[in-house]
Amino acid sequence: MTARATPPQTTPRRQADLVVVANRLPVDRVVDGDGEPSWRRSPGGLVTALEPVMRRADGAWVGWPGQPDVDVEPFEFEGTHLVPVALSADDIELYYEGMSNDTFWPLYHDVISEPRYRRVWWDAYVRVNRRFAEAAAAVAADGATVWVQDYQLQLVPRMLREARPDLTIGYFHHIPFPAYGLYSQLPWRRQVLEGLLGADVIGFQRVADAGNFARAVRRQLRYETKASGITVPNPDGSSRRALAKAYPISIDATSYIELARREDVKARAVEIRESLGNPKKILLGVDRLDYTKGIRHRMKAFGELLEDGKLSVEDVTLVQVASPSRERVGAYMQLRDEIELTVGRINGDHDTMDHTAIRYLHQAYPREEMVALFLAADVMLVTALRDGMNLVAKEYVASRIDNRGVLVLSEFAGAADELPSAVRINPHDIDGMKDAIMRAIEMPSAEQGRRMRALRKKVIDSDVARWSQSFLDALADARDHHRPTAPGRLEGPGRSDATTARGTRS
Ligand code: G6P
């Protein structure tokens, strides 16, 4: 997973026909023992999702190198032209930790944690979004397609359109878009909608997210929306049509299948089982340590099953991988304390010398190890309180080449729309979750097979290549057909609404 970088080479300024703009570059900066910096490919859903597309298109990627004040020239890395956007320690605190992850993140995840609205964060968000937009405008070739990613950069589409009207602009929102009643809390609700509407195509994970967005546009801006089309007035009185619809993201299923077939990965799965004392059943949770993931709810249900005597640690172990995330944001620090207290209590009450209730790992692992864990896990617990998609659910399914294992999946994860053959739960309903866990543990092999085959078919058919292709097709369509209408007319020509009736959501 972490292919070592060849030393980056500074290259002459290059213009690209496809530009991705994301908060993070697809690489991490690592410094070796001699103090020599180099880059290695970073893990994570978005990077995995876009990497094959970028390689094929010979594109450019604009993003932050992930550390303060790393100001380096653009360079080539594994077939992609990388354009670093430097962020100072202040930018990180105000734009990334503040506005992005202490305002937008909790607001867009249904205020599971209370969003904080601070004007100084907003000012930094505007400033940093402008910097990303400028970097993208500088690297985009004439008439290029620019694809902006996620909630950290919601103002970039409009800024780009103003600077470069020749571009075709897409935006994909990886997280939920909340119901209007919540969205309307945002003091800058109009500016954000106008920022997003700079794009020709605005993609969401679920049909419901696209619907929430369209409603916010109607209520706040009074623009006309019809099915997935939104009529956006231009400053000169003409109008154009933006498309807002669901494009559920997926994974590179083949790479998981290949890993799951590897003898060393299979052997590692056996080794993991043995090192846990060969329990009859292994339950698994894999998440960033985030309050949206329902980790505490999951542990509560599992702890109660042990308490009730329905499960015993000799028979069942829960492995919880919680990768470190946003560790300087208060809500994340608090969550970590709560989870670790909970793990300590449950283990203290139930562990034996030979067996543990919860094997808790506050670490990130390479993909090989994750697939070995997926192969070792009889039951995968995805209990998010709110999640744009949840790619871990899809990774588990893709890895189960034996057609066994049970996916327990929250209805509040985008993946639930596409994976009806999972055991569906409401994570707020602890009794319901306990029943679902027992059902998953006791599920006969034949039923596991039936469900897993249906899940695998969906994940393999709708993989990330299809996702990116369908989004880029919509952008190509926008480029070819969505010309502005004459001043005075509001309804644009172009695609029929029939094309918007996509059945899939995330
Ligand atoms: C979510 C977001 C991504 C983000 C990732 C990791 O998946 O949708 O935009 O990159 O979390 O979070 P981080 O704050 O570490 O980038």
Side-chain angles (χ1 to χ4, degrees):
M1 173 205 69
T2 51
R4 190 87 184 166
T6 46
Q9 289 163 4
T10 306
T11 46
R13 191 168 282 283
R14 171 149 101 59
Q15 301 277 286
D17 291 323
L18 175 63
V19 180
V20 166
V21 193
N23 179 52
R24 287 181 186 274
L25 282 176
V27 292
D28 292 320
R29 189 167 181 269
V30 285
V31 180
D32 68 16
D34 304 328
E36 269 303 299
S38 64
W39 301 91
R40 70 172 175 216
R41 187 153 70 86
S42 47
L46 176 63
V47 175
T48 315
L50 290 182
E51 190 214 355
V53 190
M54 293 304 283
R55 204 175 281 180
R56 269 202 315 275
D58 201 16
W61 187 308
V62 176
W64 168 49
Q67 289 165 16
D69 295 313
V70 175
D71 197 0
V72 286
E73 289 297 310
F75 60 95
E76 299 294 318
F77 183 89
E78 295 182 356
T80 304
H81 185 62
L82 301 186
V83 182
V85 174
L87 296 185
S88 68
D90 266 5
D91 293 334
I92 293 169
E93 188 188 325
L94 306 174
Y95 146 80
Y96 169 71
E97 291 164 351
M99 193 68 208
S100 296
N101 290 318
D102 221 356
T103 306
F104 283 122
W105 183 268
L107 176 65
Y108 285 13
H109 287 87
D110 290 358
V111 304
I112 295 167
S113 166
E114 196 183 338
R116 299 206 288 156
Y117 303 113
R118 296 198 51 197
R119 283 163 288 182
V120 43
W121 291 355
W122 170 254
D123 293 344
Y125 186 81
V126 176
R127 195 174 66 232
V128 173
N129 268 241
R130 190 165 299 288
R131 211 177 303 152
F132 277 85
E134 282 164 2
V139 76
D142 204 26
T145 294
V146 181
W147 191 358
V148 183
Q149 307 291 329
D150 228 358
Y151 64 100
Q152 303 94 342
L153 301 175
Q154 295 170 96
L155 306 180
V156 170
R158 179 178 176 158
M159 290 170 171
L160 259 179
R161 178 172 294 277
E162 282 170 0
R164 291 284 306 272
D166 59 301
L167 300 176
T168 302
I169 302 166
Y171 170 89
F172 188 75
H173 195 74
H174 292 251
I175 68 174
F177 196 91
Y180 181 70
L182 293 174
Y183 180 76
S184 55
Q185 287 185 8
L186 184 68
W188 308 280
R189 56 198 183 184
R190 285 178 66 90
Q191 290 96 314
V192 168
L193 295 174
E194 283 166 353
L196 292 168
L197 284 168
D200 296 286
V201 180
I202 305 152
F204 296 91
Q205 300 281 24
R206 307 176 95 153
V207 168
D209 298 316
N212 288 343
F213 174 73
R215 176 138 196 265
V217 168
R218 281 195 302 276
R219 294 289 299 267
Q220 276 301 316
L221 304 178
R222 307 267 163 220
Y223 294 172
E224 192 183 310
T225 72
K226 199 169 169 195
S228 308
I230 301 175
T231 307
V232 185
N234 292 320
D236 68 358
S238 65
S239 72
R240 62 187 180 86
R241 195 161 147 113
L243 193 66
K245 60 182 269 197
Y247 297 87
I249 198 170
S250 192
I251 58 163
D252 179 13
T254 315
S255 71
Y256 285 86
I257 294 169
E258 279 166 7
L259 281 173
R261 284 196 185 126
R262 256 169 51 181
E263 290 307 321
D264 59 329
V265 174
K266 286 192 215 164
R268 177 66 189 140
V270 173
E271 197 176 279
I272 288 171
R273 258 204 123 83
E274 278 166 5
S275 64
L276 292 168
N278 272 320
K280 289 197 188 109
K281 297 283 176 178
I282 296 175
L283 313 183
L284 176 64
V286 174
D287 312 86
R288 271 187 315 100
L289 186 51
D290 195 297
Y291 49 78
T292 59
K293 303 291 184 182
I295 302 171
R296 275 178 307 161
H297 295 64
R298 179 185 314 168
M299 286 181 175
K300 184 162 183 55
F302 181 63
E304 284 191 15
L305 287 169
L306 292 170
E307 206 60 51
D308 300 344
K310 290 225 170 90
L311 297 177
S312 86
V313 292
E314 277 80 33
D315 295 335
V316 181
T317 292
L318 168 61
V319 177
Q320 176 64 56
V321 175
S323 54
S325 185
R326 305 172 191 165
E327 290 185 278
R328 289 167 15 134
V329 177
Y332 289 76
M333 294 179 196
Q334 197 190 330
L335 176 76
R336 183 173 176 193
D337 287 347
E338 286 168 7
I339 299 265
E340 294 181 357
L341 187 70
T342 306
V343 172
R345 285 200 175 143
I346 293 175
N347 283 349
D349 285 344
H350 298 284
D351 279 9
T352 64
M353 288 297 173
D354 299 323
H355 297 277
T356 190
I358 304 178
R359 176 59 52 86
Y360 167 76
L361 303 149
H362 183 242
Q363 293 161 54
Y365 293 95
R367 206 190 280 181
E368 284 86 343
E369 181 73 356
M370 293 318 303
V371 172
L373 262 170
F374 292 146
L375 289 177
D378 302 284
V379 177
M380 181 79 212
L381 297 173
V382 177
T383 61
L385 306 176
R386 181 52 86 192
D387 206 333
M389 171 52 69
N390 198 292
L391 292 176
V392 170
K394 294 187 173 181
E395 290 167 6
Y396 177 67
V397 166
S399 303
R400 293 311 307 224
I401 53 174
D402 59 351
N403 288 316
R404 289 298 176 275
V406 184
L407 173 64
V408 174
L409 180 58
S410 164
E411 62 189 78
F412 301 112
D417 283 0
E418 294 178 277
L419 302 178
S421 301
V423 174
R424 197 180 166 95
I425 53 142
N426 168 5
H428 298 283
D429 171 10
I430 300 295
D431 283 339
M433 184 149 49
K434 286 163 72 178
D435 290 346
I437 292 173
M438 289 311 294
R439 193 169 152 214
I441 287 174
E442 288 163 359
M443 189 178 286
S445 180
E447 186 181 347
Q448 290 183 34
R450 265 197 313 279
R451 286 171 178 268
M452 190 52 80
R453 269 189 287 274
L455 294 170
R456 286 178 56 73
K457 180 164 180 1
K458 179 70 203 180
V459 170
I460 291 165
D461 286 352
S462 314
D463 72 350
V464 72
R466 235 176 104 171
W467 170 77
S468 51
Q469 200 51 56
S470 64
F471 194 90
L472 290 169
D473 284 350
L475 276 177
D477 201 34
R479 188 183 56 221
D480 296 344
H481 301 297
H482 297 175
R483 296 285 168 244
T485 54
R489 281 189 55 204
L490 270 182
E491 186 59 30
R495 61 192 307 132
S496 117
D497 288 332
T499 57
T500 63
R502 236 176 92 100
T504 48
R505 302 152 302 253
S506 76

